[in-house]
Amino acid sequence: MKRNRLLAVLVGGVFCVAVMSLYRMLEMMQGAELQHMETPDGQVENDLSRLQQQIDKLERLLSDNNRLVATLRDKLFHRQASWVKGGTGNVSSGSAPSRADSLPGCRLAEETKDGADGVQLLDVYDLLTFENPNGGVWKQGFEISYHGDEWAEHPLEVFVVPHSHNDPGWLKTFESYYQDQTKHILNNMLIKLTEDSRRKMIWAEISYFSKWWKDIDEQKREMVKRLLGAGQLELVTGGWVMADEANSHYFALLDQLIEGHQWIQTHLGVKPSSGWAVDPFGHSPSMAYLLKGAGLSNMVIQRVHYAVKKHFAQKQMLEFLWRQSWDSSPRSDMACHMMPFYSYDVPHTCGPNPAVCCQFDFHRLPGGRLFCPWKISPQRITEQNVEERALLLLDQYRQKSRLFRSPVLFVPLGDDFRFVESSEWDAQFGNYQKLFDYFDQHPELHVKARFGTLSDYFEALHRRLNAAGTTLPTLRGDFFTYADRDDHYWSGYFTSRPFYKRLDRTLEATLRATEILFSLTLAEMRRSRGDGRLVSDFPAREHFKRLTTGRRSLALFQHHDAVTGTARDPVVVDYGTRLFRSILNLHNVLQSSAHWLLLLDKSQYHHDQSKPFMQMDNVMPAHDALPRKTPLTLSDEPRSLIIFNPTEQLRSSVISVVIDSPDARVVDAETGRPMAAQISAVWAEPSRASSEHFQLDFVAELPPLSLVVYHVTKASAGSAHRARYTFHRRGNPPAIQSEHFQVSGPEADAPLSLSNKHIQIWSSPETGLLQKLRLQSGLVRQVQVQFLWYGTRTSQEKSGAYLFLPGEEGAQLYSSSEPPLVRVSRGPVFSDITSCFRHFTHTVRLLHLDGHAGRSLEISNMVDIRSEVNRELVMRLVSDVANGNRFYSDLNSFQMQQRRTLGKLPLQANFYPMTSSSFLQDSTSRLSLLSAQSQAVASLRPGELEVVLDRRLQQDDNRGLGQGVTDNKLTASLYHLLLEDRRGGAQEVGGASVQHLSLLAHLTSLSLSHPPISMVAPSDSQVPKLRPFLPLRSSLPCDLHLLNLRTLEDPQEAESPSQEVALLLHRKGFDCSSAPEPSLECTWSAHEEVNLDDLFSPLRFRSVRRSGLTLLREDDEPESARQQQLPRITSLRPMEISAFRVEID
């Protein structure tokens, strides 16, 4: 009590001091103003500038005082918080003070930004010249020297780690590779490792391993377990695939990791401890974070820019602790080994000289299919040559060792699809063992070499480092954009095959929505029955299998030749077909789950696979076609439209359906309340409206995770609001066919403008393209949309699936012989401007909504470049935001990374991956582009932001694919453009400012990535009574994202759902310098601790147990910490993902 009183007095004191100092300052300023009235004109400018400085100082003082008062107030609240009463410590934005950064949740987000120690990769990029001098035998490096006595005290300890890199699809499909190569590799592995206990092997891709496991008998399975137990075989990373790290969303990255780890736990009972990523084309710290959270301790990476590798080698920094940019503590640190040379094949892994190392790839012995390009072949090791061969190899080991801080050396031995034939196992293991034996017999060489696994290597490394008292340096940042040689930057694959990058995210959103609804359905079923059992007619097991297939299709597509768009055409078709079939299967689970949840009388539930109770409103006809709306036939009888909101936020959304009547009415089925709606034309062609079909758009109020029912009926003629249309085309007015809608021509010289409560936009009347934005606050920004073409080089080396090698002329402004048709629609629900060009149709839309959905501008493109040769289409925003050479793009939709556009680098090097967001900012404004698909992004000049929409390239770019990219489709891309006021500059951390999206941008991105899902009930009048399903009392705090609610497999009954669910929560870090007016209608967490029971009320948890990110049982917190008593308080830090094993009561 005394402490509370003391705090209260302290707060009061600080407040008084603050008020007095402000009063004194105002008095001084007033005095200055009076003096100014008496001064001659010559001093006016000086005085004004002094006044400006005083105001700035006052603002800083105010800010500091606010922060101090808020900190004290927060501590006071924290002490008084009685968790037994169950408060979550949330702050409503309705009570937002004038300065956003004094909000407790903001400060918590800010506190993660104060670490400046270690190496910042952005500073390294600033430092490097990126010249490429010839380094001798190590072409991209330098000459390495040693005296020979360096290992006298601490002998060189070499671990040769055999591996075989198996792509789950690239030049062949997953299935073909498995039948032709992978199953033989794994079959031989069993035999050859069992022959000699000194032999070791690592394996990464669980997609292949699990398929092989199904094929082998119980005896072989026992052999596998014995090899794992003896440490001869190690499963590394343990993901379903070796995932791409540029285009993949963190949901999918984590999901494929969960799928692999859960499979390993169920069938093998082991846990991966080391990460292995030798082929993804650049590396993201998001992956390091997920691996650390999944219980791994170490990782290996390979594809890093050759200039960065050289710099790190010179500084002996190839092994480091990789820390998250936003983390000021060592919590997220991951020990990482960067391979120093060009590739992960044998010629580039034993040491710096590939001509020598190739002689120790015994798969290339004379007489085989493979040879050494350096023209010196390997020799079998005999008694006669063993000394000469051993010393030659040892010289490479010693040279490589000089690049590291410890005398423990990691030497991979393998390549793509190696160890297929029994003879290769014999050649590699037999010849290397003779060399190792020779080293053992000659202690004067001070070397101990053996076969090992990643765990063997890292254990020895940490042991040596600890003994020597050596610590690894800390590093922050990411390893994009990758170049393997010359100016060959791998920024093309950030966009290649954009149709499938979009389909990837459609499956991801469908999978997450289905997981959540399925988990809620099973919990509700067990609760309603009262005995914990499921309804017998509900096909829970079949649905769980469909979910598993969906998880595995999404997981397979995260492979670094799948989502990247770098596989051969037939392989892309195979991936696409898997994604497509999984979406259809998941729709089946969604419909069935929603059916049961919505029935008022559950006894009426009947599952009929051939005739589902509900149909999806959006239907994909094929894997390579865009989804289409199913037209609804209306009558006086109401049609039930069921909308599922898969987000954890209450939202106002515009729901769009196609109907057969120009007049319709929508009401909330529960209350009978009519919903705001508008009828628009369905344009069969740019200037011809369909006479049979019409688009009905209405505003739906959707509680979090809810299923809401609306009734749609035919209405009396003329009763529905219809959109009004205006058409523009320079010099050639179009003939418009539209009998049901009011159509007019443009008013002469009138500006083309649209507005809602939050924004006004101006567009060019000639092109319809955006020119200017104005916010309700008065902030105006020039924002011009342009379209441009990039060509490719005229020389031998041209752009392809991986590489972006633009022509010297750079980007050329898009022009067409025909002026575009510009169609403007205005209505009560939305207004938009559509520009119809030959290669794309571009639409900007404003929603007339009160909530956050009305604050951004929706931009959609329909792109078709199938007629083009060696061209890439780009959408560029040109603004007057003064961002200098800095902009931000996201990494895997998990975190933002500062980018610096560098003139010393070629144009293609300044393109970066963008999974879902990027922004430009200056001291007064921020312009964010949020996307529903991944693509390349750049800011080549101040104020500019450009994204690559599609690329069509006729040739291979010499990276092994053997073909160009010519399987383009009609491709949709979707964005939201958000302009925000900013107050207060960015905080610098280690030379690089750590920034997050604003809360408004997070919510907008959430809506974009997880749109509402619409289903239609049958039209007959026999529809049973439905009632809405509202599982949550209120939205989650808006900085808390429900990443997943994933039903786990029953350990007792394979391929069946258990009662346990993986609850995955991500607490977002958010920027506090932009707080929209009026405030957001949501709360955010003021403290690290949250009360799970309150968050998810009225859902109840029978048990809650924190676990690792992949829900492995050995990562569960101990039984003693398992929370069975109420309330369940848990800590969720900003930026962190937390996983819980829960049982929903």
Side-chain angles (χ1 to χ4, degrees), residues 307-462:
V308 175
K309 285 191 171 204
K310 178 180 175 177
H311 176 78
F312 276 36
Q314 285 167 331
K315 304 279 182 200
Q316 283 193 328
M317 265 191 58
L318 290 162
E319 289 174 327
F320 52 86
L321 296 173
W322 201 350
R323 183 171 294 182
Q324 299 304 308
S325 296
W326 42 265
D327 199 346
S328 55
S329 74
R331 260 194 309 267
S332 64
D333 288 5
M334 183 67 155
C336 182
H337 171 102
M338 181 194 293
M339 290 162 64
F341 308 122
Y342 174 76
S343 171
Y344 54 82
D345 60 6
V346 183
H348 295 96
T349 47
C350 89
N353 190 340
V356 173
C357 289
C358 195
Q359 297 170 50
F360 294 90
D361 183 355
F362 297 103
H363 188 42
R364 302 180 195 242
L365 284 165
R369 288 192 307 275
L370 278 183
F371 62 93
C372 283
W374 296 270
K375 307 279 177 27
I376 311 170
S377 297
Q379 303 169 29
R380 285 184 199 283
I381 304 301
T382 62
E383 281 184 21
Q384 288 70 43
N385 69 8
V386 66
E387 180 180 4
E388 179 265 330
R389 296 277 92 192
L391 293 177
L392 183 65
L393 180 60
L394 179 58
D395 174 54
Q396 289 300 303
Y397 286 169
R398 285 174 167 179
Q399 286 191 53
K400 183 177 179 178
S401 165
R402 299 301 293 147
L403 307 179
F404 296 90
R405 298 187 181 198
S406 92
V408 183
L409 188 65
F410 168 60
V411 180
L413 176 68
D415 201 347
D416 291 3
F417 294 97
R418 278 305 188 85
F419 299 102
V420 175
E421 290 132 16
S422 172
S423 57
E424 183 182 355
W425 289 86
D426 295 337
Q428 302 284 31
F429 282 99
N431 285 296
Y432 267 101
Q433 194 57 58
K434 288 174 185 171
L435 293 164
F436 298 165
D437 291 346
Y438 179 83
F439 292 145
D440 284 346
Q441 290 152 15
H442 292 82
E444 72 279 5
L445 295 175
H446 303 295
V447 60
K448 168 73 181 161
R450 68 197 112 156
F451 295 116
T453 61
L454 280 193
S455 289
D456 294 336
Y457 168 71
F458 280 114
E459 273 169 32
L461 170 70
H462 292 305

Side-chain angles (χ1 to χ4, degrees), residues 34 128 337 1096:
L34 285 168
L128 296 179
H337 171 102
F1096 290 96

Side-chain angles (χ1 to χ4, degrees), residues 891-925:
L891 288 165
N892 318 100
S893 207
F894 177 64
Q895 57 187 321
M896 300 306 296
Q897 173 65 47
Q898 189 189 103
R899 306 294 182 194
R900 296 178 189 169
T901 301
L902 300 175
K904 63 187 170 186
L905 292 175
L907 180 142
Q908 63 270 23
N910 286 303
F911 278 78
Y912 291 96
M914 165 180 162
T915 310
S916 65
S917 54
S918 60
F919 62 78
L920 309 172
Q921 66 183 18
D922 55 25
S923 59
T924 60
S925 61

Side-chain angles (χ1 to χ4, degrees), residues 1084-1099:
W1084 51 84
S1085 322
H1087 307 296
E1088 264 184 26
E1089 287 83 9
V1090 296
N1091 181 334
L1092 289 179
D1093 295 295
D1094 263 20
L1095 283 182
F1096 290 96
S1097 172
L1099 282 183

Side-chain angles (χ1 to χ4, degrees), residues 210-221:
S210 62
K211 186 172 175 58
W212 174 67
W213 183 264
K214 270 188 189 166
D215 285 357
I216 60 174
D217 59 28
E218 205 49 52
Q219 187 186 358
K220 287 181 176 169
R221 289 178 178 183

